Amino acid sequence: MARPRKPLLSTDRIVETARALVDAEGLAAVSTRRLAAELGVSGPSLYNHFRTKDQILEAVADSVSAQVDLSMFEDDRDWRTALHDWAVSYRTALRDHPNIVPVLARGPGRRPAGLRLADAVFGAMVDAGWPPAQATSIGALMRYFIMGSALGSFAGGFVDDESAYDPADYPHLGQAHLLADQQDKIDERAFETGLGALLDGLAVQYARRTRES
């Protein structure tokens, strides 16, 4: 009886396996030795696809960028709605893969999906009437906001021990021990509040520019 064939080693399979490792155990878990063991291959065979661990992590980061929806920049949504919907999709991708955020935070570099993302945002803002310099700033500030929201949970940063918040020292934190239990709800509301305020501010600038032009 013939043995079952092992799946062929491919770039996509390496990236998927590395992404699963990063999701489960963090960036430090990824090494060529560990990946080779997970894939059931010899270490040198990985070098036909990636020369270094950094290249693997870059590919993992780009695979997460590729999960971000960009369709809102190609239909009839106005620039404000498009930015909102894109930000929500971007945050969802990062929330699903938080351990890769430090790599993504370095910028797109030469990563194709990351560059397509930057191109889509910049192009849509210029097409909407924003000057190129301001469109660049909008892309940057959106990235700061979204990345920051994915780096950690605000609500999850408070311990659920009521005794940690002595009213003599922290008179306004009497309910802080309850935050962790509502982490997702609080963080989601905070993200939407901040995103709305950011977009409202941009809308004021846009209206002023339109009147002055």
Side-chain angles (χ1 to χ4, degrees), residues 17-90:
T17 303
R19 186 173 61 229
L21 272 177
V22 171
D23 288 345
E25 301 180 34
L27 297 173
V30 178
S31 68
T32 54
R33 183 188 296 252
R34 177 73 183 278
L35 273 177
E38 293 285 335
L39 291 161
V41 300
S42 63
S45 63
L46 296 177
Y47 297 122
N48 294 323
H49 301 271
F50 297 101
R51 294 193 193 95
T52 65
K53 170 184 171 177
D54 284 345
Q55 286 186 347
I56 295 171
L57 292 177
E58 286 287 310
V60 170
D62 211 38
S63 74
V64 173
S65 292
Q67 296 175 14
V68 181
D69 183 14
L70 299 177
S71 65
M72 65 285 296
F73 298 120
E74 300 168 358
D75 55 28
D76 295 328
R77 274 172 271 193
D78 63 272
W79 68 266
R80 189 189 190 285
T81 302
L83 273 184
H84 174 276
D85 295 348
W86 166 72
V88 170
S89 177
Y90 200 175

